[in-house]
Amino acid sequence: MAASWSELMLSKLVGRCNNFFQPGSSRAMCKPFMVGDQQVGWVWPGVEKHIQRFPDVFMVEDKQVSLCPSLQMYEERTARVQEVMVKLREEGEFIALKGWRDEMYEVFHQRSSPPVFRMERTATALLGVKQYGVHVNGYVEHPQKGPLMWIGRRAKNKSTYPGKLDQVTAGGFTAGLTAQEVLVKECAEEANIPQDIALTAQPAGAISYFYEDERGLFPEIQFVFDLKLPLDFQPVNTDGEVSEFYLWDMDKVKEQIAQPDFKPNCAMVVLDFLIRHGHIHPDQEPRYLQFLENLHKTLF
Amino acid sequence: MAASWSELMLSKLVGRCNNFFQPGSSRAMCKPFMVGDQQVGWVWPGVEKHIQRFPDVFMVEDKQVSLCPSLQMYEERTARVQEVMVKLREEGEFIALKGWRDEMYEVFHQRSSPPVFRMERTATALLGVKQYGVHVNGYVEHPQKGPLMWIGRRAKNKSTYPGKLDQVTAGGFTAGLTAQEVLVKECAEEANIPQDIALTAQPAGAISYFYEDERGLFPEIQFVFDLKLPLDFQPVNTDGEVSEFYLWDMDKVKEQIAQPDFKPNCAMVVLDFLIRHGHIHPDQEPRYLQFLENLHKTLF
């Protein structure tokens, strides 16, 4: 039983969350996407074919695809890339662009330096650009039952992973916001957590992984926060994105994250929590180091 | 001041703890060391030159060095590799072998499967074999001062990193022991922490990094434990390996780990603790993600 949980969990981490690194992925066919002399993404052949029609925005070469060197300024790069993406969206070729959100994400060389341009969130998958987000483990310390965790079920009408299990709240990094601002905003919208409680959340690291699916490439980094909620607090969804909340003990949570019902990257966030809080022991879990390796992939 | 701490810390992580991945390292000249069809280490040219004199133990080829395929059994592999290392030690060529410890380390394909052979601890650096250890963050929750951490100073006569700052206790994985057994043993020897307290230590993950120095190659994985000590507990060294213990607040600890006085891999263990416990915030620390990337390198 224990072995079977370990293998299910590992297979999710390797085969879903990090399938870009697996044999048979599109990796060997992708070209690095460069801004200046630094890689900021990956371009797969299906995208390359289309963006080479815009040679004053994208320069397609044998070994790489670059943003045209003539585009030097943040606003100009943003405007020209956006024109291309709007055009591609109208042409209707790409599944990713059908989920257009009118939400801008920033593209960085390093997150410690200013962004080099910004682009529509759903279009990042076409250029294999890193996406950043904030995930919150909402838990309570029950005097009798021990630690319990709040788990949300995504609404059936969400465009991605409808009906799957998820953190109590999580959100992507809209351009210009800090991690704390994303956290406070998502706590309010997704679970009705008041700001004074949200601000007690403790940063606890980040996970990084790289998957691909029919929409494109997803190199992602999620900043992880632990939020201890009051015993009597009941999360309530206010934006229609969550259909239900459950309060489960750690055994139940652990069992569930290995199942197909749990959104893969959210399962990783919980796994990281379980490891950090001592709920998984290296002497009892044969896949301990492989779990950690897959929670912390170097993306590019 | 904050920026300067970040750059010092990052430079230690990149330039010391992970210098094998840096330009100018011996990496480009090393050959994978194989047991069967799986890599278990790296061989650098200075070692290759010597071990090719033992063709019935090591098979040196253009692209790799392998343990001879005729050596199929754990005990036979162990005995033959040990003969070579004893011989090399007698010849006195290698600094690493001058620190001979008569302590056996296991060599794994994956730590989740049985070891493929075992070898003298100090000789692992010659074959670039992964070393595993257990590091313990010993801390107290002070009612007025908040969290404080016990830091040890290594004895001046230690063969490695004499006089440097270190965890309250840490130790390598002697063949056949579990992480918990290593922990209990080192807690007793290095800090006189009784077994009943040692057993309350919580596993909290692992860090992985790869450095090289004049002794050889060090791909290392340290299992990390957090041990909350009683307020009135005073660690006392019993094996002569620690000269002094300090109890510092988190600001002082954070400041010190970036300094040359702090043993590099022990500084990483503390940095991981500071990140996991929310003492470093992603919105305030520009190098947050680079710290994490360097705490969790995929070794091979």
Side-chain angles (χ1 to χ4, degrees):
Chain A
M1 186 65 189
S4 152
W5 179 86
S6 301
E7 300 317 312
L8 274 177
M9 191 71 240
L10 184 62
S11 137
K12 196 165 186 169
L13 292 174
V14 173
R16 294 291 304 272
C17 305
N18 283 303
N19 65 5
F20 187 69
F21 299 111
Q22 285 302 102
S25 83
S26 69
R27 192 181 184 193
M29 294 173 293
C30 289
K31 294 181 182 175
F33 172 48
M34 313 289 289
V35 175
D37 60 355
Q38 286 186 61
Q39 185 180 3
V40 301
W42 286 97
V43 175
W44 36 290
V47 171
E48 184 185 325
K49 189 175 70 179
H50 283 276
I51 64 177
Q52 65 188 359
R53 292 155 40 209
F54 306 93
D56 51 343
V57 184
F58 295 102
M59 189 167 71
V60 176
E61 297 173 285
D62 267 6
K63 301 271 185 202
Q64 62 182 43
V65 175
S66 308
L67 201 61
C68 275
S70 60
L71 301 175
Q72 284 290 322
M73 307 301 289
Y74 177 88
E75 291 298 349
E76 191 188 10
R77 288 167 172 167
T78 301
R80 302 306 304 279
V81 171
Q82 187 76 347
E83 283 167 27
V84 172
M85 294 303 158
V86 167
K87 178 89 178 120
L88 293 177
R89 180 193 182 194
E90 288 164 6
E91 295 175 2
E93 283 280 338
F94 293 104
I95 297 171
L97 301 183
K98 296 188 201 293
W100 197 274
R101 293 194 187 213
D102 280 322
E103 183 181 350
M104 297 301 270
Y105 268 23
E106 282 166 327
V107 181
F108 297 90
H109 279 153
Q110 281 287 351
R111 221 172 177 284
S112 50
S113 52
V116 292
F117 69 97
R118 65 181 191 282
M119 65 185 297
E120 160 62 25
R121 174 172 177 173
T122 51
T124 56
L126 302 191
L127 299 179
V129 157
K130 284 179 198 166
Q131 296 195 29
Y132 301 87
V134 173
H135 281 243
V136 181
N137 293 298
Y139 70 103
V140 301
E141 287 287 355
H142 194 281
Q144 283 83 45
K145 298 175 192 166
L148 306 171
M149 187 179 275
W150 283 103
I151 299 294
R153 189 178 290 282
R154 298 163 70 86
K156 288 214 173 61
N157 58 0
K158 284 271 285 187
S159 65
T160 56
Y161 302 93
K164 296 288 182 188
L165 297 171
D166 196 338
Q167 261 69 64
V168 69
T169 182
F173 253 100
T174 306
L177 297 187
T178 63
Q180 185 129 298
E181 287 163 350
V182 172
L183 183 150
V184 167
K185 174 173 159 280
E186 298 290 341
C187 275
E189 291 174 5
E190 294 192 350
N192 201 27
I193 297 170
Q195 178 168 328
D196 61 329
I197 294 180
L199 288 174
T200 66
Q202 286 223 329
I207 62 167
S208 53
Y209 51 90
F210 197 154
Y211 69 93
E212 62 178 3
D213 65 20
E214 68 285 1
R215 296 168 297 157
L217 306 181
F218 296 86
E220 297 192 344
I221 295 179
Q222 307 296 350
F223 293 92
V224 169
F225 286 75
D226 292 345
L227 176 57
K228 187 174 164 178
L229 291 162
L231 255 181
D232 59 354
F233 180 77
Q234 168 68 48
V236 178
N237 180 247
T238 63
D239 64 0
E241 296 201 0
V242 187
S243 67
E244 215 173 338
F245 287 104
Y246 312 100
L247 186 59
W248 287 338
D249 65 31
M250 291 302 152
D251 286 343
K252 170 89 173 171
V253 168
K254 183 181 167 193
E255 180 202 319
Q256 287 294 309
I257 57 173
Q259 300 299 320
D261 203 27
F262 218 108
K263 185 169 178 259
N265 66 339
C266 301
M268 297 177 88
V269 172
V270 175
L271 180 65
D272 172 68
F273 179 95
L274 294 174
I275 290 174
R276 286 187 291 104
H277 289 262
H279 296 289
I280 298 180
H281 198 292
D283 290 334
Q284 272 106 53
E285 176 47 64
R287 301 304 190 178
Y288 196 79
L289 292 177
Q290 284 159 293
F291 289 168
L292 283 164
E293 191 182 319
N294 280 284
L295 290 171
H296 298 283
K297 283 286 187 185
T298 299
L299 301 181
F300 49 80
Chain B
M1 186 64 188
S4 155
W5 179 86
S6 301
E7 300 316 312
L8 274 177
M9 191 71 239
L10 185 61
S11 138
K12 196 165 186 168
L13 292 174
V14 173
R16 294 291 304 274
C17 305
N18 283 302
N19 64 4
F20 187 69
F21 300 111
Q22 285 302 103
S25 83
S26 69
R27 191 181 184 194
M29 295 174 293
C30 289
K31 293 181 181 174
F33 172 49
M34 314 290 289
V35 175
D37 59 354
Q38 287 186 61
Q39 184 180 3
V40 300
W42 286 98
V43 175
W44 36 291
V47 171
E48 184 185 325
K49 191 175 68 181
H50 284 275
I51 63 177
Q52 64 189 358
R53 291 155 41 210
F54 307 92
D56 52 343
V57 183
F58 295 103
M59 188 166 71
V60 177
E61 297 173 284
D62 267 7
K63 301 270 185 202
Q64 63 183 42
V65 175
S66 309
L67 201 61
C68 274
S70 60
L71 302 174
Q72 284 289 321
M73 306 303 287
Y74 176 88
E75 291 298 349
E76 189 189 12
R77 290 167 171 167
T78 300
R80 303 307 303 278
V81 171
Q82 187 77 347
E83 283 168 26
V84 172
M85 294 303 157
V86 167
K87 178 90 178 117
L88 293 177
R89 181 193 181 196
E90 288 164 6
E91 294 175 3
E93 283 279 340
F94 293 104
I95 298 172
L97 301 183
K98 296 188 201 294
W100 197 275
R101 294 194 186 212
D102 279 323
E103 182 182 350
M104 297 300 270
Y105 268 25
E106 282 165 328
V107 181
F108 297 91
H109 279 154
Q110 282 287 349
R111 223 176 174 283
S112 48
S113 52
V116 291
F117 69 99
R118 66 181 191 280
M119 64 185 296
E120 160 63 26
R121 174 171 176 174
T122 51
T124 57
L126 303 191
L127 300 179
V129 157
K130 285 179 196 164
Q131 296 195 28
Y132 300 88
V134 172
H135 281 243
V136 181
N137 293 297
Y139 69 103
V140 301
E141 288 288 355
H142 193 282
Q144 282 84 45
K145 298 177 190 165
L148 307 172
M149 187 179 276
W150 283 104
I151 299 293
R153 189 178 290 282
R154 298 163 69 85
K156 287 213 173 63
N157 59 359
K158 284 272 284 186
S159 65
T160 57
Y161 302 94
K164 297 288 183 189
L165 297 170
D166 196 336
Q167 262 69 64
V168 68
T169 182
F173 252 100
T174 307
L177 297 188
T178 64
Q180 186 128 297
E181 287 163 350
V182 172
L183 184 151
V184 168
K185 174 173 159 280
E186 298 291 339
C187 274
E189 290 175 4
E190 295 192 350
N192 202 26
I193 298 170
Q195 178 168 329
D196 62 328
I197 295 181
L199 287 174
T200 66
Q202 286 223 329
I207 62 167
S208 53
Y209 51 89
F210 198 154
Y211 69 94
E212 60 179 2
D213 65 20
E214 70 284 2
R215 295 169 297 156
L217 305 180
F218 296 86
E220 297 192 344
I221 295 178
Q222 307 296 351
F223 292 92
V224 168
F225 286 75
D226 293 345
L227 176 57
K228 187 173 164 180
L229 291 162
L231 254 182
D232 59 354
F233 179 78
Q234 168 68 48
V236 177
N237 180 246
T238 63
D239 65 359
E241 297 203 0
V242 187
S243 67
E244 215 173 338
F245 287 104
Y246 311 100
L247 185 59
W248 287 338
D249 66 30
M250 290 302 152
D251 287 344
K252 169 88 173 172
V253 167
K254 183 181 166 191
E255 182 202 320
Q256 287 294 310
I257 57 172
Q259 300 299 320
D261 203 27
F262 217 108
K263 184 168 179 257
N265 68 338
C266 300
M268 298 178 87
V269 172
V270 175
L271 180 65
D272 172 68
F273 180 94
L274 295 174
I275 290 174
R276 286 187 290 104
H277 289 263
H279 296 289
I280 298 180
H281 198 291
D283 291 334
Q284 272 105 52
E285 176 47 64
R287 301 304 191 178
Y288 196 80
L289 292 177
Q290 285 159 293
F291 289 168
L292 283 164
E293 192 181 318
N294 280 284
L295 290 172
H296 298 283
K297 285 285 187 185
T298 299
L299 302 182
F300 49 80

